[in-house]
Amino acid sequence: MTLFLILVIMAIVLGLIGAVAEGLFYLLIIGIVVFIGALVYLVLHIRRSGRHHRTLRRDAGRTGWGLDAALGGARAEPPGAAGEEKRPAATCE
């Protein structure tokens, strides 16, 4: 990214000198070419960096992601499934 910024600054400086100074029109052309080269470099850099996808790795001893993994694989189970007694449903009569 630093190279891109240096090329853009160089293109601006060359373009300004070429546009203002009499007889140095070729510097304006060089500045335009450098600017186009900087844009091409930026596009190639963005494309290349888009191919690298970071993958999340799961630990071998854990069973899931997020809170499940943070608890060491302990899963929340419904009441009664882990040896707890089920309570009878309250009824209003």
Side-chain angles (χ1 to χ4, degrees), residues 31-73:
I32 292 171
V33 170
V34 169
F35 183 72
I36 292 171
L39 291 178
V40 169
Y41 170 78
L42 180 67
V43 168
L44 292 176
H45 181 74
I46 290 174
R47 272 190 180 171
R48 185 176 46 221
S49 65
R51 291 183 188 163
H52 302 291
H53 299 289
R54 293 185 179 182
T55 56
L56 297 175
R57 294 185 297 165
R58 293 172 62 175
D59 292 339
R62 300 201 176 165
T63 59
W65 300 98
L67 182 59
D68 186 34
L71 295 175

Side-chain angles (χ1 to χ4, degrees), residues 79-88:
E84 297 176 9
E85 293 181 18
K86 283 189 174 180
R87 296 182 186 160

Side-chain angles (χ1 to χ4, degrees), residues 12 14 28 51 54 59 65 73 88 91-92:
I12 291 171
L14 287 173
L28 176 64
R51 291 183 188 163
R54 293 185 179 182
D59 292 339
W65 300 98
T91 57
C92 294

Side-chain angles (χ1 to χ4, degrees), residues 8-27:
V8 168
I9 291 170
M10 193 168 67
I12 291 171
V13 169
L14 287 173
L16 285 175
I17 292 172
V20 173
E22 188 176 329
L24 295 178
F25 182 71
Y26 65 93
L27 286 180

